[in-house]
Amino acid sequence: MIEGLSRAITQHLAPLLSLTSLLLIVFAYLAPNVMLSTRVALLIVAPSTGSNSSQSSDGPTVFMGALGSCSRPNSQTGVVCTTPTVSPIYDLSVLPSNVPDLLTSPPASSPAFIAVSIAFAVIFFFMFTFSAHRDRMGRFGANFYKPVVQRVTAWIGFLGFIIGLTSFVVVYMWFGKAVDDFNDDISKETDAPALSASTSNGFIMIWVAYAFYAVPLVSSLAKLHMATTVSKV
């Protein structure tokens, strides 16, 4: 029974988690400019709720991501998005002129490194999946028994994990500081607009994605250890 469970995790669950993590990372990275413009963002500036939590006011909203921003003057109009780029300049023109000018894009190196980590994650997904199903792939699958292939797979997965997670942590810290400064300045101004900034669901997707990513990565590292141990015997 334990052998069957181990096989199911290695051959089916781990590749599925790898694919899920890759999709979540891509969605969070491309949003809101390319996709999910009003549903996923890393940072949102929106009208703040009133004293009654069941009521909220309508007004300008800005959705910010790693590659740019989307904005709308109110909830009845469509969003306008900037051109996706690794060094975005956020369009804050829908916000009142007296809002604090504190919402800037993270360093350009962070989105660029995230793109590199996604490329590594794509390669890792295919190599790990092929390795998991090598018994069914005939002569081609025999290549994935080689320790060098196991080593390359593990290294690619490790680099994709470390580079991507580190880059998103940098972006999270950058946006977290911007949110705190923005809200503090708004609260200090007597005639400030009723707006508030907050980090959004894009970061939740990222943390879940890398938790999923850890499962196939650990599996790949375990396979590498076993292959190395067998080769020394």
Side-chain angles (χ1 to χ4, degrees):
M1 180 178 178
I2 191 65
E3 291 82 359
L5 179 61
S6 176
R7 187 180 304 108
I9 293 175
T10 303
Q11 295 186 352
H12 303 290
L13 179 60
L16 180 61
L17 290 177
S18 179
L19 176 60
T20 303
S21 69
L22 176 60
L23 293 177
L24 288 174
I25 294 169
V26 170
F27 290 166
Y29 180 63
L30 296 180
N33 300 73
V34 181
M35 59 194 304
L36 305 171
S37 298
T38 61
R39 297 184 179 182
V40 177
L42 299 181
L43 187 154
I44 294 180
V45 179
S48 57
T49 57
S51 56
N52 186 346
S53 60
S54 64
Q55 297 179 349
S56 62
S57 58
D58 190 14
T61 305
V62 181
F63 307 89
M64 303 181 189
L67 300 179
S69 65
C70 294
S71 59
R72 63 186 182 192
N74 54 68
S75 60
Q76 305 302 318
T77 59
V79 295
V80 177
C81 299
T82 61
T83 302
T85 175
V86 295
S87 54
I89 298 177
Y90 296 138
D91 181 9
L92 307 178
S93 59
V94 299
L95 300 180
S97 58
N98 59 337
V99 299
D101 186 18
L102 299 171
L103 302 175
T104 58
S105 60
S109 57
S110 294
F113 276 121
I114 293 172
V116 172
S117 73
I118 291 175
F120 278 129
V122 171
I123 298 172
F124 174 69
F125 165 70
F126 284 106
M127 295 188 69
F128 180 81
T129 303
F130 291 157
S131 177
H133 296 277
R134 57 194 176 186
D135 294 337
R136 305 178 183 179
M137 300 173 62
R139 293 184 177 179
F140 179 71
N143 294 319
F144 291 91
Y145 282 97
K146 299 177 180 179
V148 63
V149 176
Q150 300 287 339
R151 185 176 297 107
V152 170
T153 302
W155 268 109
I156 290 176
F158 179 76
L159 290 174
F161 183 89
I162 290 297
I163 294 174
L165 182 59
T166 303
S167 299
F168 274 114
V169 168
V170 170
V171 175
Y172 179 75
M173 295 173 63
W174 182 281
F175 280 156
K177 180 67 164 58
V179 165
D180 291 341
D181 292 344
F182 182 90
N183 291 333
D184 285 346
D185 278 20
I186 287 288
S187 63
K188 293 176 182 177
E189 297 293 336
T190 56
D191 59 342
L195 296 172
S196 64
S198 62
T199 54
S200 191
N201 55 357
F203 284 113
I204 297 176
M205 293 173 62
I206 290 301
W207 310 144
V208 172
Y210 280 100
F212 286 172
Y213 194 149
V215 175
L217 177 59
V218 170
S219 178
S220 181
L221 292 172
K223 288 181 181 179
L224 173 61
H225 175 70
M226 293 177 61
T228 304
T229 302
V230 171
S231 65
K232 292 181 179 179
V233 175

